[in-house]
């Protein structure tokens, strides 16, 4: 992953994730947007032949984009882990 | 945001489970999660499929590459696909027992007045865990080619582990049906009609498990989808419940690897302080 802080906007950064696509891009963006400290979250796949996804995040002054992405990923692990155990019990 | 309050926990309810299909409802989660699960089941659950074919003899009417393509599409039992390595993760130079399975096919037609069918049943696997699938002894197998008298096919196939992102032959799913909001209460779609929407657009079977709108219900533009209907049909290489389980596992792996990528980035960027302290 490559993190590039925005040179003009405070508390903003882009996260380039290699070898990922809409699956992870959309799911991370969605989780970020549920946080009140996140002002902006969006993702794009700049070119169909390059297998990277870029996520842009801007947060309030209370926190940092890196921290919010880390939280989003943590929450995702909890949610997927929870669903997985639910499915295991039910089948 | 609170991760999930007790009343709002994500839930999975299985409605139907047979040898080749599963129907379930995923609730209290968001569209992106449901869609990630769908996408992973289609294209990122690993299976085994024939990937290389060496032709020793082919006197049939079909071209080598034509037969090779057909062999690639034959479903191989992939229940134990996790026991085998991806070729790229293996130390060997070409193909070894840890990252591949050899299957042989040798058929010659000696009959006088009839053609001989070459089917998936003629494939002989070197590893009993990875064989072409069959539906019991009555199953005739999958037809690969027909031979007339004197024609012969002799090939060596190398099957490898892969994902459908690379080639659709590795997909464990024949179809993944995915639906939410069968009554279109969220107005995410617009029905084209002649005269009457109710007459011209029959209800989906998932409507029986959803909540019909009240006659005087006002449109809630803040509502978000939170009930997702899945139906997965396999191609026979893997049990439907295993596809779902492997999809969850894969999704967890993907998130973890991004997490690792994020943490290994905890170095000052452009002279800025590391962000390690904030979480
Ligand atoms: Zn190997």
């Amino acid at each position: 992953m490559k993190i590039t802080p925005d040179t003009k906007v405070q508390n903003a950064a882009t996260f380039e994730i290699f070898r990922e696509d809409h699956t992870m891009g959309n799911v991370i963006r969605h989780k970020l947007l549920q946080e009140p400290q996140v002002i902006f979250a969006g993702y794009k796949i700049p070119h169909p032949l390059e297998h990277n996804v870029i996520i842009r995040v801007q947060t309030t002054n209370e926190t940092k984009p890196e921290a919010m992405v880390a939280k989003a990923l943590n929450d995702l692990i909890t949610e997927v882990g929870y669903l997985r155990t639910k499915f295991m019990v039910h089948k | 945001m609170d991760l999930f309050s007790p009343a709002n926990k994500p839930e999975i309810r299985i409605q139907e489970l047979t040898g080749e299909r599963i129907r379930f409802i995923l609730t209290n989660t968001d569209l992106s999660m449901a869609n990630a699960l769908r996408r992973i089941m289609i294209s990122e659950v690993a299976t085994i499929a024939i990937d290389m074919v060496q032709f020793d003899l082919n006197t049939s009417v079909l071209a080598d590459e034509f037969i090779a393509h057909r062999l690639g599409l034959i479903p191989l039992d992939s229940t134990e696909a996790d026991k085998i390595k991806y070729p790229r993760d293996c130390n060997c130079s070409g193909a070894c027992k840890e990252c591949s399975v050899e299957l042989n096919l040798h058929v010659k037609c000696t009959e006088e007045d009839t053609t001989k069918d070459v089917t998936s049943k003629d494939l002989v696997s070197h590893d009993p865990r990875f064989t072409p699938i069959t539906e019991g002894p009555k199953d005739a197998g999958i037809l690969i080619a027909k031979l007339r008298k004197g024609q012969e096919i002799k090939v060596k196939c190398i099957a490898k582990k892969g994902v459908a992102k690379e080639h659709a032959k590795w997909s464990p799913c024949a179809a993944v049906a995915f639906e939410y909001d069968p009554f279109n209460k969220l107005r995410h779609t617009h029905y084209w009609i002649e005269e009457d929407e109710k007459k011209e657009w029959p209800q989906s079977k998932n409507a029986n498990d959803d909540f019909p709108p009240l006659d005087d219900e006002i449109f809630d533009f803040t509502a978000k989808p939170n009930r997702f209907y899945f139906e997965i049909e396999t191609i026979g290489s893997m049990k439907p419940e295993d596809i779902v389980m492997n999809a969850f596992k894969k999704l967890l792996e993907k998130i973890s690897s991004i997490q690792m990528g994020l943490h290994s980035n905890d170095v000052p960027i452009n002279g800025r302080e590391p962000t390690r302290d904030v979480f």
Side-chain angles (χ1 to χ4, degrees):
Chain A
M1 186 191 302
K2 196 173 127 199
I3 307 176
T4 319
D6 197 294
T7 47
K8 290 179 184 146
V9 186
Q10 278 245 306
N11 295 310
T14 55
F15 300 76
E16 186 177 5
I17 308 171
F18 307 113
R19 271 166 262 106
E20 288 297 346
D21 56 12
H22 295 277
T23 309
M24 290 320 295
N26 192 232
V27 93
I28 294 170
R29 181 196 67 113
H30 228 104
K31 260 283 170 291
L32 284 167
L33 287 173
Q34 288 173 3
E35 305 294 337
Q37 296 105 306
V38 172
I39 297 168
F40 178 89
Y43 86 96
K44 68 176 171 184
I45 290 164
H47 191 100
L49 296 179
E50 283 168 22
H51 302 127
N52 307 324
V53 52
I54 294 177
I55 301 172
R56 188 183 145 84
V57 189
Q58 191 194 157
T59 66
T60 59
N61 285 325
E62 298 158 46
T63 181
K64 288 263 178 293
E66 290 89 335
M68 290 328 285
V69 173
K71 183 173 188 302
L73 292 170
N74 259 324
D75 289 359
L76 279 172
I77 293 249
T78 319
E79 190 173 335
V80 179
Y82 182 82
L83 274 170
R84 186 172 72 148
T85 32
K86 275 272 164 182
F87 185 79
M88 248 187 311
V89 176
H90 280 259
K91 73 163 186 190
Chain B
M1 201 195 89
D2 282 341
L3 196 48
F4 26 81
S5 55
N8 219 25
K9 283 193 169 177
E11 192 73 54
I12 281 192
R13 208 178 83 214
I14 299 169
Q15 297 175 286
E16 190 192 332
L17 179 59
T18 66
E20 58 184 18
R21 75 177 60 239
I22 184 169
R23 289 210 306 133
F24 63 86
I25 307 176
L26 186 66
T27 45
N28 288 332
T29 187
D30 54 58
L31 186 55
S32 67
M33 180 60 74
N35 194 236
L37 186 62
R38 182 191 67 85
R39 283 175 63 93
I40 290 174
M41 286 189 296
I42 293 171
S43 66
E44 290 192 67
V45 172
T47 63
I48 309 289
I50 292 173
D51 197 38
M52 261 193 319
V53 184
Q54 189 191 89
F55 280 83
D56 294 331
L57 200 66
N58 176 21
T59 49
S60 77
V61 294
L62 301 178
D64 291 4
E65 54 270 44
F66 197 106
I67 296 171
H69 178 241
R70 286 187 172 189
L71 287 166
L73 296 174
I74 291 170
L76 304 180
D77 189 345
S78 303
T79 12
E80 297 196 48
D82 53 335
K83 306 259 162 58
I84 203 166
K85 281 183 187 169
Y86 281 107
R88 60 166 184 275
D89 295 334
C90 196
N91 295 322
C92 70
S93 53
C96 72
K97 274 210 161 100
E98 279 175 50
C99 66
S100 63
V101 184
E102 190 182 322
L103 296 101
N104 289 291
L105 177 84
H106 186 194
V107 187
K108 187 177 183 176
C109 178
T110 48
E111 286 143 272
E112 193 62 55
D113 294 315
T114 178
T115 54
K116 183 168 178 58
D117 290 352
V118 184
T119 70
S120 60
K121 284 187 135 183
D122 296 313
L123 278 164
V124 184
S125 175
H126 283 206
D127 190 331
R129 295 174 301 171
F130 308 106
T131 52
I133 55 151
T134 46
E135 293 178 305
K138 278 186 183 164
D139 184 6
I142 299 159
L143 186 63
I144 300 164
K146 288 186 179 187
L147 304 178
R148 65 161 285 171
K149 194 187 177 189
Q151 291 179 345
E152 189 176 358
I153 296 175
K154 189 181 179 199
V155 296
K156 181 177 125 181
C157 311
I158 305 293
K160 288 177 180 174
K161 181 168 153 178
V163 292
K165 238 200 226 187
E166 187 179 332
H167 191 294
K169 69 184 173 185
W170 276 298
S171 182
C173 306
V176 178
F178 174 85
E179 186 183 25
Y180 63 91
D181 188 25
F183 293 104
N184 195 27
K185 286 190 279 189
L186 303 169
R187 303 193 191 173
H188 282 194
T189 190
H190 174 80
Y191 291 121
W192 184 91
I193 52 163
E194 293 271 6
E195 271 144 14
D196 185 11
E197 187 185 304
K198 282 208 166 68
K199 265 188 203 152
E200 292 161 40
W201 290 94
Q203 224 110 71
S204 97
K205 69 175 165 189
N206 294 325
N208 303 324
D209 298 297
D210 212 271
F211 312 103
L214 307 167
D215 288 332
D216 54 349
E217 195 171 309
I218 36 167
F219 175 51
D220 178 5
F221 55 86
T222 59
K224 296 222 154 36
N226 73 340
R227 210 174 152 79
F228 307 94
Y229 304 89
F230 283 84
E231 179 169 351
I232 295 124
E233 186 187 297
T234 74
I235 59 162
S237 60
M238 213 179 244
K239 286 195 221 123
E241 65 268 33
D242 289 351
I243 296 178
V244 185
M245 277 310 291
N246 287 352
F248 278 128
K249 201 175 139 207
K250 180 79 194 188
L251 186 51
L252 280 174
E253 283 169 12
K254 282 163 83 82
I255 305 166
S256 311
S257 82
I258 297 174
Q259 227 170 13
M260 269 166 59
L262 185 72
H263 287 293
S264 62
N265 253 297
D266 283 0
V267 283
I269 310 149
N270 299 350
R272 229 170 65 163
E273 281 299 301
T275 49
R276 201 181 285 113
D277 53 325
V278 281
F279 36 82

